[in-house]
Amino acid sequence: MNEPFCSFADVLAAAARIAPHVNATPVLQSRSLEQLLGASVWFKAEPMQRTGSFKFRGACNAVWALPATQAGKGVITHSSGNHGAALALAARTRDIPCHVVVPHGAVPAKVASIRRYGATVHVCAPTAADREQTCARIAGETGATMIHPYANAQVIAGQGTAALELINAAGPLDVVMAPVGGGGLMSGTAIATAAMAPACARWGAEPEGAADTARSLAAGRREVDFVPDTVCDGLRGPVGAPNFELLRAHGVQVTTVSDDETVAAMRQLWECLKVVVEPSSATVLAALLKQRDAIAGKRVGVILSGGNVDLDAMPWSSR
Amino acid sequence: MNEPFCSFADVLAAAARIAPHVNATPVLQSRSLEQLLGASVWFKAEPMQRTGSFKFRGACNAVWALPATQAGKGVITHSSGNHGAALALAARTRDIPCHVVVPHGAVPAKVASIRRYGATVHVCAPTAADREQTCARIAGETGATMIHPYANAQVIAGQGTAALELINAAGPLDVVMAPVGGGGLMSGTAIATAAMAPACARWGAEPEGAADTARSLAAGRREVDFVPDTVCDGLRGPVGAPNFELLRAHGVQVTTVSDDETVAAMRQLWECLKVVVEPSSATVLAALLKQRDAIAGKRVGVILSGGNVDLDAMPWSSR
């Protein structure tokens, strides 16, 4: 049997490694939402993580897992979203260079945030080919290590620490659920949950407009040829190859939700939990509402992934 | 020397009494806000209290402090805001009747919330005279006990439990700050802080458009003849008579802030702390920003009072 791409031992090592840098985010409950769902629910509030999302856990673990000499040459990634900001701040905690390749036309506020956390921003053409080429060129010139947003074992191990904290805070759970995009958070969550609570179901939530993971799991092979169409800007990427294998190995079941369901759930989270969550986070509440019969009377833990939203453009005002 | 209206022993008794019913709300930190303020700051997140504000603490303590026979006849208050909803839910935790008198023309969503928590709503004319008369009539008919929103010793003791938890979580503090409206939260906060950390300063934040407490403290006597004009709907009431005496006795200093400063601070709290706060809560950040020189390098604890806002009407979009 092969060594797994990422194991629970890696998650535990990540927890120890990132502890001095991450926020121990709160685990929240809302009796209104519990009544609505007919279940006991614990929400791990990663919007309150540094940089506003769980991504800081994985980025921080990847940065601090590097040997000193290699780390000194810096890190590089491509991301116009939460991973870019997370890697920038993670690199700053170790005082090493960080390069973030963003496509021309990326949201200026997000690019400004990556710069504010101290990274050097490189703009490329908005194609996968130019993105890869730009990353390779800069890595070649600087010796910086590529930290992929989700298809990276140390990133996955770091993301798994959120479920670790959730399960430790909530106690025995019947179901743990997280959003699924590239599958970094979900595979880390599945690894931690399977090790800590083998009988606990591992569920994912995915937008209908980027449901490649649900399709891939149904087909038994990775199917990532699609054009994303969803309000969940954090979940548009295709599931990673190692991530897909981990989700399959851990029996992850995915519920898909429409953007209308997600936006309604996002508003319910703001109103009942008083946490600023981004649409990607709200997919889990939308999915639980669709699974009410299956969770009736059970103990459910969910991971709210992030809270980076444009406060001038609430999605419910435009729908 | 007279017995004080409310003492630290009352706060400790309240903490024990309400523990089975209240949420132990999180104490949050944001490195971005700490950089902005040049100080270490702990935020007690009462938006995550049941009913969405600290008001549930005082209401719950007042309800559970009643002898059984008296409690059985119910409780009554006048409020179209957070105290009405809080008393309604507090009464439901003891399974006793609750009457809430609201003025004709009150915000329908808030009235609906009071009803949803199980109270009987009575509509009166929007004058102080009719409000008092209506309360007196219903109290006479039912035997219900009046629970004033802030000029009530058990309410003040309950509100003081937020500072108790804040100081226990944060450790030694140089300043504790809370918003000031009627003075229920601020007087409970001052009592708890003075007892637990005598050297710690007690500061309040008050909107310029309802700055009767700042004026009263400066004048050395209660001056409450004013017409409130502020976006902070929770802070429009005049400071209560016992509250004023408690604030004066505990050396509370009040910083006043404009609505523009409050709305800007509200947005910063949403963005950096990811907590949905209402304008009243944001006065404390606005006040700290005005007191940057005074808090430089210090340890500051603040109470974010509540998070009940209309998500369809962000105050920054209309300004």
Side-chain angles (χ1 to χ4, degrees):
Chain A
M1 198 171 146
N2 290 336
E3 192 75 0
F5 186 74
C6 176
S7 70
F8 186 55
D10 298 321
V11 176
L12 292 174
R17 194 178 282 128
I18 69 179
H21 309 291
V22 297
N23 288 345
T25 54
V27 174
L28 303 170
Q29 291 187 271
S30 154
R31 303 194 202 208
S32 310
L33 290 177
E34 291 189 336
Q35 276 178 0
L36 191 69
L37 290 164
S40 300
V41 186
W42 286 261
F43 295 92
K44 180 71 172 163
E46 287 298 301
M48 286 143 181
Q49 189 48 263
R50 295 179 75 182
T51 71
S53 91
F54 74 94
K55 292 279 187 181
F56 184 66
R57 295 176 181 270
C60 205
N61 189 47
V63 159
W64 284 93
L66 292 174
T69 316
Q70 191 182 349
K73 295 178 183 163
V75 288
I76 179 168
T77 197
H78 49 77
S79 164
S80 52
N82 287 334
H83 176 67
L87 191 66
L89 181 61
R92 203 169 72 185
T93 65
R94 201 173 173 179
D95 201 18
I96 63 172
C98 178
H99 304 269
V100 180
V101 175
V102 304
H104 185 78
V107 180
K110 299 225 162 175
V111 178
S113 162
I114 293 168
R115 279 210 181 87
R116 201 173 53 241
Y117 286 122
T120 305
V121 169
H122 307 265
V123 179
C124 69
T127 65
D130 196 55
R131 186 182 71 188
E132 301 299 332
Q133 207 174 9
T134 308
C135 283
R137 179 177 56 75
I138 297 162
E141 287 167 9
T142 61
T145 303
M146 174 71 191
I147 310 292
H148 190 277
Y150 47 86
N152 174 303
Q154 299 296 2
V155 168
I156 293 170
Q159 318 306 31
T161 61
L164 183 79
E165 293 175 14
L166 168 62
I167 294 170
N168 280 337
L173 293 173
D174 300 305
V175 178
V176 167
M177 194 177 215
V180 181
L185 177 63
M186 188 70 238
S187 41
T189 301
I191 291 165
T193 304
M196 298 174 77
C200 177
R202 282 78 73 172
W203 287 3
E206 195 173 40
E208 287 172 2
D212 59 300
T213 306
R215 275 197 306 275
S216 299
L217 288 169
R221 65 163 195 278
R222 192 163 158 261
E223 295 191 349
V224 294
D225 187 17
F226 69 104
V227 177
D229 176 19
T230 172
V231 69
C232 303
D233 55 305
L235 305 179
R236 289 180 188 140
V239 64
N243 308 87
F244 173 68
E245 294 306 329
L246 286 165
L247 302 192
R248 195 163 60 160
H250 288 96
V252 170
Q253 291 176 280
V254 173
T255 299
T256 61
V257 293
S258 72
D259 278 4
D260 282 347
E261 290 165 336
T262 295
V263 169
M266 177 176 162
R267 188 176 174 135
Q268 285 175 306
L269 287 166
W270 287 44
E271 284 184 342
C272 298
L273 216 57
K274 308 296 182 191
V275 178
V276 174
V277 294
E278 59 187 82
S280 303
S281 296
T283 55
V284 290
L285 177 57
L288 287 182
L289 284 165
K290 290 182 94 161
Q291 297 288 357
R292 278 195 55 168
D293 291 348
I295 61 171
K298 297 200 167 164
R299 294 169 61 91
V300 180
V302 305
I303 299 176
L304 299 175
S305 48
N308 294 323
V309 284
D310 178 357
L311 293 177
D312 289 316
M314 291 299 100
W316 49 76
S317 16
S318 60
R319 296 180 86 84
Chain B
M1 197 172 147
N2 289 337
E3 190 75 1
F5 186 72
C6 176
S7 71
F8 186 55
D10 296 322
V11 176
L12 292 175
R17 194 178 283 128
I18 69 179
H21 309 291
V22 297
N23 287 346
T25 54
V27 174
L28 303 170
Q29 291 187 271
S30 155
R31 302 192 201 207
S32 311
L33 291 176
E34 291 189 337
Q35 276 178 0
L36 193 68
L37 291 164
S40 300
V41 187
W42 287 260
F43 295 92
K44 179 71 172 164
E46 287 297 302
M48 287 145 181
Q49 189 49 264
R50 295 179 74 181
T51 71
S53 92
F54 74 92
K55 292 279 188 180
F56 183 67
R57 295 176 182 271
C60 205
N61 189 47
V63 160
W64 284 93
L66 292 173
T69 315
Q70 191 182 350
K73 294 177 184 163
V75 288
I76 180 168
T77 198
H78 49 80
S79 162
S80 53
N82 287 334
H83 176 67
L87 190 67
L89 182 61
R92 204 170 70 184
T93 65
R94 202 172 174 179
D95 202 17
I96 62 173
C98 178
H99 304 270
V100 181
V101 175
V102 303
H104 185 78
V107 181
K110 299 226 163 176
V111 178
S113 163
I114 293 168
R115 279 209 180 88
R116 202 173 53 241
Y117 286 121
T120 305
V121 169
H122 306 265
V123 180
C124 68
T127 65
D130 196 55
R131 186 182 71 187
E132 301 298 332
Q133 206 174 10
T134 308
C135 281
R137 179 177 55 75
I138 297 164
E141 288 168 8
T142 61
T145 303
M146 175 70 192
I147 310 291
H148 190 278
Y150 47 86
N152 173 303
Q154 299 296 2
V155 168
I156 292 170
Q159 319 305 31
T161 62
L164 183 78
E165 293 175 14
L166 168 61
I167 294 169
N168 280 336
L173 293 173
D174 300 304
V175 178
V176 166
M177 192 178 217
V180 182
L185 177 62
M186 189 70 236
S187 42
T189 300
I191 292 166
T193 304
M196 297 175 77
C200 177
R202 283 79 74 174
W203 287 2
E206 195 173 39
E208 287 172 1
D212 59 300
T213 306
R215 275 198 306 275
S216 299
L217 288 170
R221 65 164 194 280
R222 193 163 159 261
E223 296 191 350
V224 294
D225 187 16
F226 70 104
V227 177
D229 176 18
T230 172
V231 68
C232 302
D233 54 304
L235 305 180
R236 289 179 188 143
V239 64
N243 308 86
F244 172 69
E245 295 305 330
L246 286 165
L247 301 193
R248 194 162 62 160
H250 287 94
V252 170
Q253 291 176 280
V254 173
T255 299
T256 61
V257 292
S258 73
D259 278 3
D260 282 348
E261 290 165 336
T262 295
V263 169
M266 176 174 163
R267 189 175 172 137
Q268 285 174 305
L269 286 166
W270 287 43
E271 283 184 342
C272 297
L273 216 57
K274 308 297 182 189
V275 178
V276 175
V277 295
E278 58 186 84
S280 303
S281 296
T283 56
V284 290
L285 177 57
L288 288 181
L289 284 165
K290 290 182 95 161
Q291 297 287 355
R292 278 196 54 170
D293 291 349
I295 61 171
K298 297 200 167 166
R299 295 169 60 94
V300 181
V302 305
I303 299 177
L304 299 175
S305 49
N308 294 325
V309 285
D310 178 356
L311 293 177
D312 289 317
M314 291 300 98
W316 49 77
S317 17
S318 60
R319 294 179 86 84

